[in-house]
Amino acid sequence: MAPEQSNRLISQEARARILVVDDEPRLVSSLASLLRGCGYDVTEANGGKHACELIEIQRFDLALLDLRMPEVDGFAVMAYLENQQPECGSIVISGESSFTAVSRALRRGALDYIRKPFDPEELIATVKGVAGKQSLLKAHEHIQVRLEKSEALHRYIVNSSPDIVFMLDADGRFCFINSKVESLLGYKPVELCGKHFRHILDDRDVAKGIYALNAPNINADNPRTLEIRLKTRGSRRATRHFEITAFPIDPQPWTYNSRTRGGGNGQNASYYGTARDVTERKEAEAFINFQAYHDLLTRLPNRALFKDRLELAITHARRARQQLAVMFLDLDRFKVINDTLGHAMGDRLLQAVTHRLEGCLRKGDTLSRFGGDEFTLLLPSVHGNEDASQIARKLIKTLKAPFLLGEHEVFVGVSIGISIFPEAGDTMEQLIQNADIAMYNVKARGKDSYRFFSESMSIDSTNRLHLERDLRLALERGELRVFYQPQVCAATDQILGLEALVRWQHPERGLLYPRDFLSLAEETKLISQLSEQVLDQACKDVTEWIRSGHPELRLAVNLSPVEVEHPRFVETLMDRVKENRFPPGNLEIEITENVIMNDLEQISQKLRELADLGIRIAIDDFGTGYSSLNYLHRLPIHTLKVDQSFVQAIRSGEDDACIVNAIVAMAHGLKLEIVAEGVETDKQLEYLRTLGCHQVQGFFYGPALPAAEISKLLAQSTVRAAVIG
Ligand code: C2E
Ligand code: CA
Ligand code: CA
């Protein structure tokens, strides 16, 4: 014991409070003065009863007790003292040297005894010895309590840490882990102690964890920090994310403490570490990341991620000298459904559409929601157009079946524009833009179909802006012209009808054809104004010819899908007809099959109204769209116009020529009139004649011409075939 500490004990012992008890007052006071002389704080009690009264009100460190007293004897006082102040020791004073009484007192807890009559020196030595031992014991107890408090405090600090605190031995086995591991991962600390830390690492992170521990140059000031996944206990196999901070340590300071509490005592610890649960942060990060790159409604990649993937795919395709395809998909009729059934239904429809589209894709393809009802699709490796066509057909087909939204059954179609790298552009922007342009071309041609981008579709964007401005001006200034292509009876060479085809006399660029501006007119909604002008002009011109001896002359006009789908289509058309006093029976409108199929219910209703008013209806480009023969006999159709491609196939003797045979046979069966378009050669005309198809139109008889030229032609009794080279 250090000298300083021993001094403190002696001084404590000197101040010890002593109760002296005897039934002989003289003896009490002599004992008391003797002890006071040694510096003790002495209280005198005359007899056992008095002693008990004092014990009740005062605290003592030591009692000197006479055993034999009347009424309340020394044993009784000892018992009382034991009960009231157990920490107070006692020395018994015995007049009898009787061994039995003393040994009985000692058995009951007396610390020592003094024989009467006493020797003052012996008495003082005994008291001193007992008081000294007493205070040592107290000091020990005091230290013990402090130690326990301190340990409890540290344990509290360690276990209340928001982090897992652990120690590993040199082999990586846990030798201490705080109780936090139980609330975070479900393991009891004791079950982990002795186990290798690999036991709780996610399998994917084992190598990373082991490597981190062996990294050189790590210490308390330069700890190793890493993010790792830990497995929770049990079968759920869930993992949580932790940020681990660990470093090697000098194991000396705590190996002395062998009291095991909680999860191990840290014996042989070589590493100290903490593990902070960062799962929520990680999940939030992952969500934010997902949100930044995905559309939350459909969970598809968004525009940003799509562009990123496309950029990568282009780099790859360029290096590997491969092709890739970008598709631009736009849902047909989505807006109508969204407006009539509400946004919630619209959202459900988009999800359902996404689900079906995804079913058509291969691994590695990226479908993204580009915005609204637009989707883009990246096919990172295609071999030629046929590959892409096949997917496009699949996509169109998968959306054909109706969608069930609550009790509503709705139909949507999709228009797809395709651009192929490198033919249709070698940058990301070009490929997307060109696919978009191709998609608009599909829309303009009656929707629900697909088209590959071709140069003729592209008008670069500044040009486009100029053109749009010019087109507005053209409508104001009346720069549009109507040309007429004769529909001729091949048997008599007589003109039966005239198809009105719009032209634009551009002040700088000369005569422009529909392919140069029609899709622009549709996109910019200028089409209705354009149509109105064409129709007015055509009605005027044809009325004149009708009055001048051609009462049967038919006027055929083309209508774009945008117009036909307009809710007030019938009224608008009839307004024009009435205003121009044009005989309805001489008017034939040309629409494509796809327009009809887009909304069979609505369109057939409108067509019926028109037919009832005497207007004739022709299906343009017949054979290139749905060719769903089902609707033909249910609709008031008068004429089928065989598409040019089938007529031109006659020349080359391709298999497509058979299609003409089929169409003509069918038209006859359904008692429909038939007009063959694009007739350019004698041979084609001859072939059509033998099939019994007599109405023809094409360069063989001449291209579309201005009204003045037509007047001249009509003045002759027949049209002479124009010879074309
Ligand atoms: P379409 O209705 O199929 O018209 C026939 C197209 O074929 C016309 O082209 C015509 O000039 C061309 N053509 C006629 N005979 C021959 C031939 O023997 N050989 C070849 N190769 N072509 C021939 P155009 O005038 O350039 O019109 C293109 C398309 O633009 C038309 O296709 C029609 O869908 C649309 N269109 C034209 N005028 C109007 C209009 O006023 N309103 C609307 N909505 N669309 C129109
Ligand atoms: Ca036409
Ligand atoms: Ca046509």
Side-chain angles (χ1 to χ4, degrees), residues 528-673:
S528 50
Q529 228 179 312
L530 178 144
S531 268
E532 193 178 314
Q533 291 192 4
V534 171
L535 199 60
D536 281 348
Q537 186 60 49
C539 285
K540 275 194 194 88
D541 291 341
V542 178
T543 306
E544 199 126 302
W545 295 321
I546 288 173
R547 288 193 187 140
S548 59
H550 303 277
E552 306 276 300
L553 191 65
R554 191 165 70 207
L555 165 63
V557 292
N558 294 284
L559 294 171
S560 84
V562 189
E563 297 169 76
V564 181
E565 279 167 12
H566 194 281
R568 292 185 35 83
F569 162 62
V570 176
E571 288 95 317
T572 325
L573 181 70
M574 290 317 292
D575 281 353
R576 307 273 29 95
V577 172
K578 281 180 198 141
E579 209 158 292
N580 288 295
R581 299 228 191 90
F582 192 84
N586 289 48
L587 183 64
E588 181 163 271
I589 58 167
E590 299 192 356
I591 57 176
T592 60
E593 292 163 286
N594 292 351
V595 175
I596 296 171
M597 291 314 291
N598 271 343
D599 196 344
L600 193 56
E601 273 319 296
Q602 289 274 327
I603 305 285
S604 50
Q605 168 72 22
K606 290 175 180 173
L607 296 185
R608 228 164 272 128
E609 283 175 41
L610 289 175
D612 290 346
L613 291 164
I615 307 252
R616 297 167 54 93
I617 291 143
I619 305 293
D620 204 355
D621 304 341
F622 188 79
T624 59
Y626 277 90
S627 304
S628 161
L629 308 175
N630 287 334
Y631 69 85
L632 283 177
H633 63 275
R634 292 206 273 140
L635 293 175
I637 288 164
H638 304 84
T639 309
L640 294 188
K641 297 192 71 179
V642 182
D643 190 66
Q644 309 190 356
S645 57
F646 305 119
V647 174
Q648 268 145 33
I650 296 171
R651 163 186 51 195
S652 45
E654 284 164 23
D655 285 350
D656 277 0
C658 306
I659 296 181
V660 181
N661 304 9
I663 293 174
V664 173
M666 188 185 63
H668 285 161
L670 291 167
K671 304 217 163 19
L672 295 174
E673 289 187 25

Side-chain angles (χ1 to χ4, degrees), residues 134 251 263:
Q134 278 278 89

